[in-house]
Amino acid sequence: MEKRAERWNDWKWQFSHRITTSGQLKGVIPLDEAERGDIDKCLEHFRMAITPYYASLIDPSDPNDPIRMQAVPSPRELTPSEDDMGDPLGEEHDSPVPFVVHRYPDRVLLLVTFQCSMYCRHCTRRRAVGEEDKIIPERALQRALDYIRSRPEIRDVLISGGDPLTMSTAKLEHIVSSVRAIEHVEVIRIGTRVPVVLPMRVDEELLSMLRKYHPIWINTHFNHPREVTPEAKRACEAIVDAGIPLGNQSVLLRGINDDAETMRELLLKLVKMRVRPYYLYQCDLSQGIGHFRTRVEEGVEILKSLTGRISGFAVPKFVIDAPDGGGKIPIQHDYVLKKDDREVLLENWKGETYRYPQPK
Ligand SMILES: *Cc1c(COP(=O)(O)O)cnc(C)c1O
Ligand code: SF4
């Protein structure tokens, strides 16, 4: 590993030195010929890219390392399950103009690039993401902005992709400032995994640009406590210090974070660096990621076991993004045991029962 490369802390160096072939990967983790062959087969369907930084977090001696499992293709991706879908969230159906998804009344998703610094094996949008390094063409951007301008009910624009922070600061500023110029847009959100996989991208140039367009909110995507490194911590704290509230959206992934102790450690590490856990997603039905799926009850149980035991703001909302465009549906343990006109019978976090009388 070129850990001591002179430009290690330069995000453009990290980006241009991403590991994209099995041959390069062999320099990081031991691979025999059969494993290399499997990876090459996967790469015919879904591409791989791993920043040298993120690759350096892999424990090469552990085939089930949680960082490795998120980044390195597995032959299980080639065994499709009958529930797999190309567009699991039905985003094409809710797209009034290309690159815009308008599902909820007051907010839209604006997909500005299909490029990411690391291609997560569990990606929901893997059908589009990483197919090609495509950023939104100027004409399509203008069309998307026209759409947002024509809908005064849109008050929250979520800039996502792909990862918008893989774009140059100048290109991103062009997009952010254009959205900010629309009078009825109150909040601009950015979805990015950069703090986790390319933390050096969070530099003064980026933050001083974003600060000009407040209120900006950012959501990132940590899945495992081992991702919380000094570099990631610096990036998150710099974002928050720039006045940007920073949330986290994790995906519940089998063999990676599907146990209460790992989840607890992750959530506590997040709040310690001022990142607010926002959503925990049930894994979607994207192609070739069935091996990451857990049973729905497992997520419910994990959150039940944490609720009441750690700070309320450290516990995310567990959601299923319903197939076919149903949107996010929160699910949790049912704390209401019984309910009628007179009273509600409730269970507390310790499993004790309490009565709350209804107003007469
Ligand atoms: C997730 C999502 C949003 C944002 O939803 P919040 O619950 O407000 O975070 C908006 N549009 C689409 C299509 C989404 O999938
Ligand atoms: S960063 Fe997000 S969009 Fe990009 S590959 Fe990972 S999950 Fe998909």
Side-chain angles (χ1 to χ4, degrees):
M1 194 74 262
E2 298 174 79
K3 176 116 196 182
R4 265 159 286 278
E6 211 176 299
R7 294 177 62 202
W8 181 263
N9 290 315
D10 173 346
W11 74 271
K12 288 177 181 152
W13 181 89
Q14 286 280 340
F15 195 85
S16 59
H17 287 77
R18 292 180 306 168
I19 295 159
T20 56
T21 66
S22 63
Q24 293 165 333
L25 188 61
K26 205 166 173 285
V28 183
I29 51 176
L31 293 174
D32 60 32
E33 278 313 302
E35 289 169 317
R36 267 191 74 171
D38 283 341
I39 289 171
D40 289 337
K41 249 181 266 156
C42 290
L43 295 188
E44 290 168 22
H45 300 267
F46 302 107
R47 67 189 278 191
M48 167 175 77
I50 313 172
T51 55
Y53 162 78
Y54 197 66
S56 76
L57 306 183
I58 297 176
D59 172 358
S61 67
D62 180 4
N64 297 316
D65 176 79
I67 310 290
R68 175 179 179 157
M69 284 172 69
Q70 291 182 67
V72 176
S74 148
R76 287 182 289 183
E77 293 178 27
L78 299 176
T79 332
S81 121
E82 56 182 274
D83 292 320
D84 288 358
M85 299 163 83
D87 175 21
L89 304 183
E91 292 187 329
E92 282 164 13
H93 174 77
D94 280 334
S95 181
V97 295
F99 301 92
V100 173
V101 185
H102 193 181
R103 170 166 303 152
Y104 301 104
D106 71 338
R107 52 209 191 279
V108 292
L109 205 55
L110 175 60
L111 304 172
V112 297
T113 175
F114 292 126
Q115 179 168 272
C116 293
S117 27
M118 194 276 278
Y119 292 107
C120 310
R121 302 327 296 171
H122 56 273
C123 180
T124 289
R125 297 204 188 95
R126 64 189 330 210
R127 174 186 44 90
V129 165
E131 282 283 296
E132 45 190 320
D133 285 341
K134 190 161 98 180
I135 68 171
I136 185 170
E138 184 58 28
R139 282 181 63 184
L141 175 64
Q142 291 308 325
R143 223 179 135 198
L145 292 166
D146 285 343
Y147 176 79
I148 297 169
R149 236 176 257 124
S150 74
R151 295 295 186 112
E153 68 271 27
I154 298 173
R155 40 160 296 284
D156 175 1
V157 174
L158 174 40
I159 299 174
S160 183
D163 194 326
L165 297 194
T166 57
M167 297 193 292
S168 72
T169 303
K171 179 79 198 171
L172 186 64
E173 177 162 23
H174 171 59
I175 296 171
V176 172
S177 64
S178 305
V179 174
R180 179 46 77 217
I182 302 173
E183 217 168 305
H184 55 263
V185 175
E186 295 171 4
V187 167
I188 297 175
R189 282 198 261 181
I190 298 174
T192 176
R193 212 176 178 199
V194 146
V196 185
V197 296
L198 184 66
M200 38 300 270
R201 170 65 180 107
V202 180
D203 55 14
E204 192 41 43
E205 179 200 64
L206 175 72
L207 295 173
S208 55
M209 183 279 280
L210 291 175
R211 258 197 300 260
K212 293 191 274 177
Y213 303 100
H214 270 316
I216 303 263
W217 291 56
I218 293 183
N219 270 326
T220 188
H221 176 174
F222 285 89
N223 285 329
H224 193 277
R226 288 244 317 275
E227 293 170 337
V228 181
T229 63
E231 290 92 334
K233 184 165 181 282
R234 184 212 59 83
C236 292
E237 291 177 343
I239 290 171
V240 182
D241 284 345
I244 302 171
L246 181 55
N248 188 67
Q249 314 193 151
S250 298
V251 185
L252 189 59
L253 297 167
R254 189 142 72 106
I256 293 179
N257 59 13
D258 62 337
D259 66 278
E261 194 38 50
T262 304
M263 195 49 76
R264 178 175 184 274
E265 195 186 335
L266 170 65
L267 298 173
L268 294 182
K269 281 189 162 171
L270 289 173
V271 297
K272 236 174 121 179
M273 55 181 188
R274 289 177 281 157
V275 178
R276 166 77 151 97
Y278 181 45
Y279 284 141
L280 173 65
Y281 285 96
Q282 174 71 10
C283 188
D284 289 321
L285 303 175
S286 292
Q287 267 155 27
I289 68 172
H291 55 287
F292 285 127
R293 292 173 62 204
T294 51
R295 293 189 56 81
V296 174
E297 309 86 281
E298 296 175 52
V300 170
E301 265 314 301
I302 289 172
L303 289 192
K304 179 177 178 236
S305 74
L306 296 174
T307 301
R309 286 182 178 80
I310 61 174
S311 314
F313 62 79
V315 182
K317 205 185 271 180
F318 183 43
V319 292
I320 299 186
D321 214 335
D324 295 319
K328 297 177 187 71
I329 301 176
I331 35 176
Q332 65 165 350
H333 173 72
D334 194 356
Y335 291 98
V336 176
L337 301 175
K338 199 172 134 250
K339 184 170 63 179
D340 60 29
D341 281 349
R342 283 184 306 117
E343 63 177 18
V344 181
L345 201 60
L346 299 157
E347 181 190 305
N348 79 350
W349 61 279
K350 286 186 195 161
E352 299 159 344
T353 305
Y354 290 86
R355 279 169 209 287
Y356 178 84
Q358 301 267 35
K360 298 249 164 40

